[in-house]
């Protein structure tokens, strides 16, 4: 039997009871697979790796070693939340690596989006591999692979061209070839969320909007600078806060701020004030292949504009992106 193919008899996990049964099954399977050996996991804080981490903590406790790499391109408070939930609340074995300087130094002056992605993906593997080498007796690598990832790689194997290069921990160097542990690889995203809630993960983490591997790196357009990245992170936090408050966060599939490398003239405290624009993008989709624009009430837009322009140093305008996909991709880069 091909373990990468979901059996037709497998029921959709839609309830807590079904999720509990799945969790019990996977706990037994993981214990059987790894015995008393150690398992390494790159914990990004995204839904999939978080669910795998919570499941494995339940199954094998401290035999799981989670590594959270902060590439400096995370959203505001994101790494802190990962530490709070996994280290403080779940008592997981978690190594936190602040690699911000490594990433930002390599990205300095690089403006081509695909080059930026490649640098971020490759450096992620370097940092993770350095940590893995420093650890002893690791035999397994856990991954948050889900069924759409498997279907997508089948498609790519058939020769279809990917529009943007996505990355996971796949390409680790030869000396670090571990056996894989992929407990949620036959699940669809909605099922992963049901399992995550059954494991007791916070609702906000389980229903977190998708966030690309290269993070804010592909939203700080062109060559990334620390000051513009900081402005982007703050503006994005305000957008998320306001979407939370007005209920849009529950409704919109993906929403974020983009800050391009252009400045316009403004005025502040009776003086000329040159700043970047913050561009708001809020889209709905089912499969990310096409997307429509969410209508945001003007009152909410005014509030967001007011807060961003007053609270974020360096931003002097707020714009709204009304472009569906196609023709625009969801991300700007
Ligand atoms: P696009 O921009 O291609 O985005 O319309 C579709 C979905 O994919 C996400 N995305 C990425 N995810 N690595 C990722 O892990 C990437 O390099 C990447 N680029 C885009 C994007 O956020 C959207 O959800």
């Amino acid at each position: 039997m091909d373990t990468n193919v979901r059996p037709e008899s497998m029921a959709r996990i839609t309830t807590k009871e079904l999720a509990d049964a799945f969790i019990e099954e996977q706990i037994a399977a993981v214990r059987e697979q790894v015995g008393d050996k150690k398992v390494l996991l790159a914990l990004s804080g995204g839904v999939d790796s978080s669910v795998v981490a919570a499941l494995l903590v339940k199954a094998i406790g401290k035999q799981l070693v989670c590594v959270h790499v902060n590439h400096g391109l995370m959203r505001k408070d994101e790494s802190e939340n990962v530490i709070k939930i996994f280290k403080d609340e779940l008592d997981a074995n978690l190594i936190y690596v602040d690699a911000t300087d490594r990433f930002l130094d390599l990205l300095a002056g690089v403006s081509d989006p695909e080059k930026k992605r490649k640098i971020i993906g490759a450096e992620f593997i370097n940092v993770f591999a350095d940590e893995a080498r420093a650890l002893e007796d690791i035999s397994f690598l856990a991954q948050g692979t889900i069924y759409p990832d498997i279907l997508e790689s089948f498609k790519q194997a058939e020769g279809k061209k990917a529009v943007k290069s996505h990355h996971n921990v796949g390409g680790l160097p030869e000396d670090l070839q571990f056996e894989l542990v992929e407990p949620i690889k036959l699940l669809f995203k909605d099922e992963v969320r049901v399992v995550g809630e059954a494991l007791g993960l916070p609702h906000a983490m389980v229903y977190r909007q998708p966030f690309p591997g290269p993070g804010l790196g592909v939203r700080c357009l062109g060559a990334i600078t620390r000051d513009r990245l900081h402005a982007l992170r703050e503006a994005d936090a305000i957008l998320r806060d306001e979407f939370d408050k007005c209920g849009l966060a529950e409704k919109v599939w993906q929403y974020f701020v983009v800050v391009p490398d252009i400045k316009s003239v403004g005025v502040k405290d009776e003086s000329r004030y040159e700043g970047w624009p913050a561009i708001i993008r809020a889209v709905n989709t089912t499969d990310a292949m096409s997307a429509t624009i969410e209508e945001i009430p003007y009152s909410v837009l005014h509030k967001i504009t007011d807060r961003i322009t007053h609270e974020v140093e360096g931003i002097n305008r707020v714009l709204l992106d009304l472009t569906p996909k196609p023709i625009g991709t969801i991300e700007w880069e």
Side-chain angles (χ1 to χ4, degrees), residues 199-225:
L199 284 163
L201 288 174
H203 183 83
M205 176 170 254
V206 171
Y207 283 87
R208 192 183 96 133
Q209 57 165 320
F211 187 59
L216 299 182
V218 287
R219 297 177 182 170
C220 189
L221 304 186
I224 298 166
T225 56

Side-chain angles (χ1 to χ4, degrees), residues 114 117 163-167 210-215 218-219 253-254 256 285 287-289 325 328-333:
E114 285 302 290
R117 270 196 178 76
V163 178
K164 295 178 187 183
S165 57
H166 293 203
H167 79 269
F211 187 59
V218 287
R219 297 177 182 170
W253 194 80
Q254 202 175 18
F256 52 87
T285 176
D287 57 4
M289 301 302 287
K325 174 182 182 176
T329 49
I330 294 175
E331 304 290 345
W332 272 50
E333 289 195 331

